[in-house]
C-alpha cells in the first residue's frame, strides 16, 4: 500500500481502456482516495463509483475541461471541498490528431495545444495553492515519446510540440516549487494500447511498430500507471524535474 491515506486527482481518467482509468484503479488499490476529472462528467462519476473502496471516503468524479481555466478552478474547488488536502495531481488528459504539418489548421493547433499543454498549466494552477498550504505534494504530467523523437505514430507535429512543451513546463514548475515541497515530474510513454488511436492501428502497422521495440510488445495502460504510482508515492521522494520513459526501449537515448 504505497498511497495509504493520500488523496489523488487524475485528469482524463474516465475512458474505460485509458491510462488515467488504470491509474485511478491502481491508486485506489494502494489506498488513495481518488477524484477523476474528465471532460465527460457522467463517465467520470461512473468510473469513480467503480473504483475499489478505501476507508477515507468515497471516490468522486467531476466534469472538467482542462483547456478551460474556469472549469479547472470549479473542479478543483469541488474536489478540495470534499477531500480537504490534495496530495497528488496527475495531469493525464490529452487528445491527438494524426495529420501532417501543412494540414494543421489554426483551430487544430489551438485545440491540441490547449488540451495537451495549456491544460497542464491550468489544472496545476488550480491545485498548487492547496498543496503549498498543506506542506507539499506530487504532480506528474503526461508527455509522450512523440515529444522526444519528433512525432510518435498517431500524433501530428502540433501534438509533438504540445507534449514537448509539457516537459519544459514541468521542469520549470519543479525548479520553482521544490522549495515548498511540491515535486513535478513527467512521463513519456511509447505506444500504449488504449482507445486514443481509434481504429487506425491496423494489425500490419502493429507488427511493424513492434519490430522497433526491444521489449517486443506494445505498452499496456498499467505499464504507465505503475510509473505514475512511483512518481506519486514516497518511493520517488528525491525525484523532481525528471522525465520517465515508458516505451519498451522504443527510444533509447
Ligand atoms: P484516452 O482517450 O483513453 O484517454 C484520454 C482521456 O482524456 C479521456 O477520458 C478523455 O475523455 C479525456 N479528455 C479529453 N479531452 C479532455 C479535456 N479537454 N479535459 C479533460 N479530459 C479530457 O487515451 P490515453 O491513451 O489513455 O491517453 C491519456 C494520455 O496519455 C493523453 O495525454 C495522451 O496524449 C497520452 N499518451 C498516450 C499514448 C498512447 O499511446 N496511448 C502515448 C503517449 C502519451
Amino acid at each position: 500500500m504505497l498511497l495509504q491515506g493520500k488523496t489523488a486527482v487524475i485528469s482524463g481518467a474516465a475512458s474505460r481502456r485509458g491510462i488515467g482509468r488504470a491509474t485511478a484503479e491502481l491508486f485506489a488499490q494502494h489506498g488513495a482516495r481518488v477524484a477523476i476529472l474528465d471532460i465527460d462528467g457522467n463517465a467520470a462519476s461512473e468510473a469513480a463509483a467503480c473504483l475499489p473502496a478505501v476507508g477515507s471516503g468515497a471516490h468522486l468524479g467531476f466534469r472538467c475541461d482542462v483547456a478551460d481555466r474556469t472549469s479547472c478552478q470549479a473542479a478543483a474547488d469541488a474536489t478540495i471541498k470534499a477531500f480537504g488536502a490534495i496530495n497528488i495531481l496527475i495531469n493525464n488528459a490529452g487528445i491527438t490528431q494524426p495529420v501532417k504539418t501543412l494540414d494543421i489548421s489554426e483551430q487544430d493547433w489551438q485545440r491540441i495545444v490547449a488540451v495537451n499543454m495549456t491544460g497542464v498549466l491550468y489544472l496545476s494552477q488550480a491545485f498548487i495553492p492547496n498543496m503549498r498550504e498543506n506542506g507539499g505534494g506530487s504532480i506528474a504530467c503526461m508527455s509522450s515519446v512523440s515529444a522526444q523523437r519528433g512525432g510518435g505514430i498517431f500524433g501530428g507535429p502540433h501534438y509533438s510540440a504540445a507534449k514537448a512543451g509539457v516537459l519544459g513546463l514541468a521542469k520549470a514548475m519543479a525548479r520553482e516549487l521544490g522549495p515548498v515541497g511540491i515535486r513535478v515530474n513527467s512521463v513519456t510513454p511509447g505506444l500504449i494500447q488504449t482507445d486514443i488511436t481509434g481504429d487506425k492501428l491496423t494489425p500490419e502497422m502493429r507488427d511493424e511498430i513492434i519490430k522497433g521495440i526491444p521489449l517486443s510488445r506494445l505498452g499496456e495502460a498499467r505499464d504507465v500507471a505503475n510509473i505514475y504510482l512511483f512518481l506519486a508515492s514516497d518511493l520517488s521522494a528525491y525525484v523532481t524535474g525528471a522525465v520517465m520513459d515508458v516505451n519498451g526501449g522504443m527510444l533509447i537515448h
Side-chain angles (χ1 to χ4, degrees), residues 12-15 17-20 37-40 64-67 92-95 115-116 142-145 159 163 189-196:
S15 65
R17 288 185 349 117
I19 294 166
L37 307 188
D38 201 283
I39 194 146
D40 185 339
C64 173
D65 177 359
V66 296
N92 175 75
I95 53 171
V115 177
N116 290 293
M142 176 56 88
S143 177
S144 168
V145 72
Y159 179 79
K163 292 298 192 186
L191 187 56
I192 311 297
Q193 299 183 87
T194 69
D195 293 332
I196 203 167

Side-chain angles (χ1 to χ4, degrees), residues 106-140:
E106 193 179 342
Q107 206 183 11
D108 293 338
W109 174 270
Q110 300 294 355
R111 188 172 59 92
I112 293 290
V113 170
V115 177
N116 290 293
M117 183 174 72
T118 315
V120 173
L121 175 70
Y122 288 165
L123 205 58
S124 300
Q125 286 178 322
F127 284 102
I128 285 168
N130 176 277
M131 286 186 170
R132 204 174 39 201
E133 282 158 24
N134 290 292
S138 174
I139 300 176

